[in-house]
Amino acid sequence: MPNALIIGSGATAAAHDTWFRRRGWESTICAELEALKRCEVSGSLCVLSLPCADRAPYLKALLAYRHLLLILVGCPGADGDEAQRLWQAAKRRKACVAITGGWRFVPAFARIREVVAGGTIGTISDLEIKVVSPPAQGREGLFAGLDLGSWLADGIQPDEVQAAETEAGGIMVSLTRTPRIRVHWSAQPAATRPSLSLVLAAENGVETA
């Protein structure tokens, strides 16, 4: 049975744990660095869902293992230099590192992905996602929304990407391929955490979340 090692705490780690267990994986949550050193890292898929500011010591400990399998859940606040250093360290240790948006692991969206992949609702024509983020988080929510949209639509590769600013100061990105994916992002001073709404139009009806 495959094993996932979830590195994080709170509701986010719990959602990841649920996501893997529902798919027949063994899953372990590790919230502390000292506990990580005692966990079985080799042979596990490691899911690092901590904020970027807290990740450095955990990444250092994980990259001590060769042939590491690691998922980074989003990269809030990361810049190009940090990404380059991570890539170089992963290459030296022959590690496989993937970056995903955190919403893939929300049970409701994971269920929609299963319905889409199973063909129950027929061919998707449109997928619209609206993301509202706190100003301090920058545009991370926009990229997480695009990641979620592409994943829900079975990993499509767009023919063209169009982006424009909205009158309210947000950004709207459209992926021009069937299904058409549109992601509307905005920052709201009153928001304390990111929020997302989704409308999916298909042959046999409309799904919302």
Side-chain angles (χ1 to χ4, degrees):
M1 180 181 295
N3 182 66
L5 178 60
I6 313 299
I7 304 162
S9 62
T12 301
H16 296 167
D17 181 64
T18 299
W19 193 92
F20 281 101
R21 288 184 181 277
R22 286 182 176 176
R23 283 150 186 80
W25 288 56
E26 291 185 357
S27 180
T28 303
I29 296 178
C30 177
E32 302 293 338
L33 182 58
E34 289 303 314
L36 175 61
K37 296 174 182 177
R38 299 190 297 270
C39 289
E40 185 58 45
V41 174
S42 298
S44 298
L45 174 62
C46 300
V47 181
L48 186 56
S49 60
L50 295 166
C52 267
D54 302 329
R55 288 180 179 177
Y58 290 84
L59 281 170
K60 183 177 179 179
L62 287 168
L63 288 171
Y65 296 86
R66 295 182 67 83
H67 305 290
L68 173 73
L69 298 175
L70 175 63
I71 290 178
L72 295 179
V73 181
C75 275
D79 60 25
D81 290 339
E82 290 174 303
Q84 182 74 8
R85 288 195 295 270
L86 174 60
W87 175 79
Q88 290 173 343
K91 184 178 180 181
R92 286 196 301 270
R93 304 303 297 172
K94 300 187 183 301
C96 181
V97 179
I99 299 174
T100 69
W103 283 312
R104 289 190 185 199
F105 295 94
V106 174
F109 297 139
R111 178 56 183 155
I112 291 175
R113 176 67 168 78
E114 292 174 354
V115 171
V116 170
T120 306
I121 59 176
T123 303
I124 301 172
S125 57
D126 286 276
L127 179 59
E128 186 165 352
I129 296 172
K130 293 184 179 180
V131 182
V132 176
S133 300
Q137 291 197 357
R139 296 176 181 176
E140 176 202 353
L142 171 63
F143 298 105
L146 289 166
D147 173 81
L148 177 66
S150 179
W151 180 69
L152 287 174
D154 208 14
I156 68 159
Q157 297 296 318
D159 292 328
E160 184 179 353
V161 178
Q162 298 177 345
E165 291 191 10
T166 65
E167 292 182 359
I171 298 175
M172 195 277 287
V173 177
S174 178
L175 308 184
T176 57
R177 184 169 181 170
T178 303
R180 180 176 59 174
I181 299 174
R182 288 173 292 180
V183 177
H184 302 261
W185 171 86
S186 63
Q188 299 292 337
T192 58
R193 58 185 299 177
S195 64
L196 181 147
S197 61
L198 177 149
V199 177
L200 185 153
E203 286 180 316
N204 300 330
V206 175
E207 296 282 340
T208 61

